[in-house]
Amino acid sequence: MPELPEVETVRRTLEELIIGKTIDQVLVHWPKMVKEPDDVVRFTKALEGETFKAVARRGKFLILYTDDLALVSHLRMEGRYGVYPKSETIEKHTHVIFSFTDGTELRYKDVRKFGTMHLFKRGDELGQLPLSQLGVEPLSDAFSPKILQNLLNKTARPIKAALLDQKLIVGLGNIYVDESLFKAGIHPERSAKTLTKEEVEKLYSEIKATLSEAVERGGSTIRSYVNSQGQIGLFQLELFVYGRRGEECKVCATPLERIIAGGRGTVYCPQCQPK
């Protein structure tokens, strides 16, 4: 599933591709993808004639703004957007098409059909699900060591599970939690509330640094992720632990191990992250 850096990269590329384009027609080939409103005809008719004005992100969600509406989109496992000429052949697994008055189309492709779309009146989107219960943005000024300490003090869950909880901190998934915990020297099964002030400050710094570097490298292409211009991410070349089970730690040469922590497969270094 695309995490914060990948979704932020898609946001940036979409912003270059669709701002100022006016929607002539919307076609939905997989109605179950549209969650709000529950009538696909209302969804398509509401968007026709609207012009995209901005593209924002909240955690792992994209928000495509027109003057009057906010389209909240979650890519899930393999969703991707792309802009094409209307004349170009439509690829298999393309489920939603936004046709523009300039002869181009924004197409949403999703092999697994897990992606979702919610359409709200602009200004209502943050107060309703799926955005209303999301936690703090880790790359925002609202995120601080004190905020992180307060969040972790409230739960005895393993730190891996706490960091994956989107109601606490948004945008973090398996890749960047594993990487941040490794760089902070924290075992993924440590109880969140047992972290010292110094450990929390180190973890805070590594979360910010890891996410920021990943955004600059265009995210991580582990399986099928590409941005809206069809380009892969490059941060996977910098990974220390994620996906490297059995390989030597880049810091101490100890073989990396894999466990289940927070309900997810987790790779860590038993030397650098002692339990």
Side-chain angles (χ1 to χ4, degrees):
M1 178 184 295
E3 302 178 28
L4 187 154
E6 291 76 48
V7 179
E8 175 60 22
T9 302
V10 172
R11 186 200 71 77
R12 293 181 180 187
T13 53
L14 268 183
E15 199 168 47
E16 296 177 9
L17 294 170
I18 68 170
I19 298 304
K21 289 181 179 283
T22 299
I23 301 169
D24 179 53
Q25 184 182 30
V26 180
L27 299 175
V28 179
H29 299 302
W30 188 252
K32 291 182 180 180
M33 203 159 277
V34 177
K35 304 300 182 182
E36 175 65 35
D38 56 8
D39 180 354
V40 172
V41 174
R42 286 174 55 205
F43 176 85
T44 59
K45 293 302 180 183
L47 284 164
E48 290 173 5
E50 293 283 323
T51 300
F52 283 121
K53 297 295 186 178
V55 184
R57 179 191 56 76
R58 182 74 172 97
K60 301 177 186 179
F61 290 87
L62 291 165
I63 312 175
L64 284 62
Y65 285 108
T66 69
D67 281 324
D68 304 313
L69 303 170
L71 175 60
V72 178
S73 172
H74 199 304
L75 303 176
R76 297 293 177 180
M77 297 296 291
E78 295 190 20
R80 65 175 68 171
Y81 283 101
V83 174
Y84 307 86
K86 287 184 180 179
S87 58
E88 188 164 325
T89 301
I90 298 173
E91 295 180 346
K92 188 178 180 181
H93 305 299
T94 299
H95 304 302
V96 183
I97 300 174
F98 303 85
S99 294
F100 297 123
T101 56
D102 68 354
T104 63
E105 294 180 338
L106 173 65
R107 299 176 183 174
Y108 179 76
K109 180 181 176 182
D110 193 337
V111 174
R112 300 194 182 190
K113 301 178 181 177
F114 289 165
T116 62
M117 295 185 185
H118 294 72
L119 188 64
F120 300 107
K121 180 180 177 182
R122 185 166 180 163
D124 291 346
E125 69 282 357
L126 297 179
Q128 300 188 56
L129 292 174
L131 302 182
S132 60
Q133 295 183 358
L134 296 180
V136 63
E137 288 279 348
L139 291 181
S140 71
D141 292 339
F143 189 53
S144 68
K146 184 177 180 180
I147 291 295
L148 179 58
Q149 183 84 71
N150 290 339
L151 291 172
L152 298 183
N153 282 345
K154 296 177 181 179
T155 178
R157 289 178 294 172
I159 183 63
K160 172 74 181 269
L163 294 179
L164 288 173
D165 187 346
Q166 300 300 296
K167 293 181 180 180
L168 298 183
I169 305 169
V170 296
L172 289 171
N174 223 22
I175 299 173
Y176 300 107
V177 170
D178 280 7
E179 292 297 303
S180 298
L181 288 174
F182 170 78
K183 293 175 182 177
I186 298 170
H187 193 283
E189 292 184 316
R190 275 277 303 277
S191 171
K193 66 191 304 182
T194 68
L195 268 63
T196 66
K197 179 182 178 183
E198 291 72 23
E199 287 175 318
V200 170
E201 289 176 348
K202 176 66 172 173
L203 179 58
Y204 164 83
S205 297
E206 296 301 346
I207 289 172
K208 297 273 283 192
T210 299
L211 290 176
S212 296
E213 183 181 355
V215 169
E216 291 307 310
R217 298 298 299 272
S220 300
T221 295
I222 304 299
R223 295 180 182 86
S224 60
Y225 161 74
V226 294
N227 67 26
S228 300
Q229 295 170 328
Q231 300 164 330
I232 66 170
L234 296 175
F235 190 71
Q236 68 274 8
L237 303 177
E238 311 297 327
L239 296 176
F240 280 84
V241 289
Y242 181 84
R244 298 187 64 241
R245 174 179 60 175
E247 298 180 32
E248 290 187 353
C249 174
K250 294 180 179 181
V251 174
C252 70
T254 299
L256 300 176
E257 297 182 4
R258 183 182 186 275
I259 58 174
I260 301 298
R264 303 293 300 277
T266 302
V267 181
Y268 76 106
C269 175
Q271 179 66 31
C272 296
Q273 298 165 270
K275 191 171 184 179

